[in-house]
Amino acid sequence: MTFMKSITTAAISLCLATASLADTPTLRAAVLKFGTVNWELDTIKHHGLDQANGFTLDVQGMAGGSAAKVAFQGGEADVIVSDWLWVARQRAAGNDFVFIPYSKAVGGIMVPGDSTAQNLTDLAGRKIGIAGGPLDKSWLILQAYAAKNHAMDLGDATEQVFGAPPLIFGAARSGEVDAAINFWHFGAKMNAGGMRTLIDVAEASADLGLDPETPLLGYVVKGEMLRDNPNLVAGLAAASRGAKDILASDDAEWDRLRPRMNADDDAQFAALVAGFRAGIPAPGPTDEDAAGRMLELMYELGGAELLGQATALPDGTFLQNGS
């Protein structure tokens, strides 16, 4: 009788657990297949931070950022990673998207270790490789910095080569370009390979009166989800912060992640870990006044081509205090 009671109790517990799992909402994240955000998402899944915060994370690897945005806007994904300037542009156009800070990591302009360049004026007449296009945010900020500090039109004074981050990385290492502006993780690899930073975007931003602590990249969700299921959005934010807390201090976690980090050697691995940790934004609400100043400068530099109708920071761009 006791044996049968134990079986019955176990069966009931299993049914309850299965029902509970079935009731847990699934959050579909469409992200770049090899993007650095996967390190955080892997940490969330490995430590069960999604389940602990009331959802099941389903990571969908995408070939590019445009594909992720199409999936998100078409309802095939619930969350993507983008910069908040894109979210501001979308909100100004009537799309109710909300930004949850993920990273403040930015790159810089890098030159070979033996380059004679000491400041931006030394790049006059030289070739700069730039990841992205003419409206790349780092490129715009560095142009504004050059104009302010050196009375220099960096665009006119140099030759630019635009391309995908891996191509610019290769061109920088081979010497096809004299300097390069790339995403932070490629910059970390270039630094590990002997290149040096001529000036980083955080330094240039601070010089222009911007706050380098303003997170640029983040998770993007729809306002409809925030209204209909605020606990789900808050759970995502909490799981992200929990993963960051682990990655900020646990070296063993990085050893576990190393196989998916595409680090060629120990120096690259150490640079990637340090770069990710440096990019972790402080907990708490985003300073919207600082973000507003950044948006106004970016509009001045990139205009409607970059920001559409977003001439000022739209209300509700940032998730603040989980609401």
Side-chain angles (χ1 to χ4, degrees), residues 150-323:
H150 303 296
M152 178 189 189
D153 187 323
L154 192 60
D156 285 346
T158 63
E159 178 185 351
Q160 296 92 51
V161 177
F162 300 101
L167 294 178
I168 298 302
F169 175 66
R173 297 187 71 179
S174 68
E176 294 175 53
V177 296
D178 301 296
I181 301 170
N182 213 327
F183 297 166
W184 77 264
H185 51 294
F186 284 102
K189 288 185 175 184
M190 288 190 284
N191 183 261
M195 296 186 71
R196 60 181 172 84
T197 302
L198 192 62
I199 180 169
D200 62 40
V201 174
E203 179 184 344
S205 297
D207 182 83
L208 294 169
L210 305 179
D211 184 358
E213 295 301 309
T214 302
L216 182 62
L217 292 176
Y219 299 105
V220 184
V221 299
K222 294 178 180 175
E224 178 183 0
M225 177 185 289
L226 180 59
R227 290 189 300 274
D228 295 346
N229 200 341
N231 290 336
L232 177 57
V233 178
L236 170 62
S240 172
R241 178 54 58 179
K244 286 177 170 60
D245 289 343
I246 293 171
L247 293 170
S249 59
D250 189 345
D251 291 339
E253 185 68 10
W254 285 105
D255 290 335
R256 185 186 69 80
L257 290 170
R258 182 165 180 166
R260 68 180 309 165
M261 290 172 64
N262 197 28
D264 293 337
D265 50 43
D266 289 344
Q268 282 193 9
F269 174 68
L272 289 169
V273 173
F276 186 96
R277 285 173 166 171
I280 295 176
T286 301
D287 184 340
E288 294 190 352
D289 290 337
R293 291 194 299 273
M294 178 179 288
L295 185 142
E296 289 171 7
L297 175 63
M298 299 309 293
Y299 193 89
E300 179 183 333
L301 298 172
E305 190 176 357
L306 174 65
L307 285 165
Q309 304 171 52
T311 57
L313 183 68
D315 290 339
T317 298
F318 295 95
L319 181 76
Q320 301 286 41
N321 298 318
S323 62

Side-chain angles (χ1 to χ4, degrees), residues 27-120:
L27 194 68
R28 300 165 300 169
V31 298
L32 288 177
K33 192 174 297 185
F34 301 108
T36 60
V37 69
N38 287 284
W39 308 343
E40 177 167 301
L41 297 178
D42 185 298
T43 303
I44 288 174
K45 292 289 291 182
H46 181 76
H47 292 276
L49 297 173
D50 52 346
Q51 297 295 326
N53 286 285
F55 68 97
T56 298
L57 179 63
D58 176 22
V59 181
Q60 305 171 356
M62 310 298 287
S66 295
K69 289 175 180 176
V70 168
F72 177 67
Q73 291 173 298
E76 298 300 316
D78 304 306
V79 58
I80 60 172
V81 171
S82 187
D83 62 77
W84 66 263
L85 291 167
W86 181 78
V87 174
R89 174 174 184 152
Q90 294 299 314
R91 288 190 72 81
N95 296 314
D96 187 10
F97 300 162
V98 182
F99 178 90
I100 304 170
Y102 156 66
S103 176
K104 63 178 183 178
V106 290
I109 187 162
M110 304 194 72
V111 296
D114 59 358
S115 171
T116 58
Q118 297 302 313
N119 59 51
L120 292 179

